[in-house]
Each structure stands twice: as C-alpha cells, then as structure tokens.
Amino acid sequence: MHPGSRARQRLTAEQLTMLRLMNSGVKDEKIARLLGVSSRTLSRLMAGAMEELEARSRFEAGARAAELGLLS
C-alpha cells in the first residue's frame, strides 16, 4: 500500500480540498466560503487533518500532506 493511501482514506474530501487550497495560498476565509462552512468549522477540519497526519502545526500538516502525495 502506498504510504499516502492510508492518510488519504482517513482524511475527508473536505479536508483534502482544504489542504490543497491552503497549499495554493488561499486564505482561510475564502476556503471556508468555497467549502460552504464557517471559519470555526474550517478550524475543526484543520485540527482533524493535523491529527490524522500526526502534525503539530498547520505548516507541518501541509508538508506531510505534500510528502505523502495528497496535494496533487
């Protein structure tokens, strides 16, 4: 199994989209609007993604997602 496959299965489609948009430099407010969620829900999505990726920061979550090939 590809190392990113397990993380891809555990992350929701919203979380993957959020990580891709953040990686592209899109601001949180716009990401929330694009996903149709509140900024608080976006924060919860990020917290869940960080937990699944075993990251301690948003930056680390993005780096780990990129490393696992989840951003393409």
Side-chain angles (χ1 to χ4, degrees):
M1 180 179 276
H2 184 273
S5 298
R6 187 171 170 197
R8 187 180 302 270
Q9 290 173 346
R10 293 188 317 212
L11 291 170
T12 66
E14 280 182 319
Q15 288 170 323
L16 288 169
T17 299
M18 172 196 64
L19 287 165
R20 289 180 185 121
L21 290 168
M22 286 182 169
N23 185 60
S24 297
V26 180
K27 302 284 185 204
D28 286 0
E29 298 81 26
K30 185 166 184 178
I31 294 171
R33 211 171 34 252
L34 290 169
L35 293 177
V37 300
S38 69
S39 59
R40 184 162 172 94
T41 298
L42 185 69
S43 294
R44 288 184 185 135
L45 288 170
M46 176 49 78
M50 288 171 55
E51 185 176 329
E52 291 299 331
L53 293 166
E54 299 177 1
R56 291 176 293 207
S57 69
R58 290 166 53 121
F59 179 81
E60 188 178 355
R64 185 145 306 146
E67 179 182 292
L68 294 171
L70 302 176
L71 302 179
S72 53

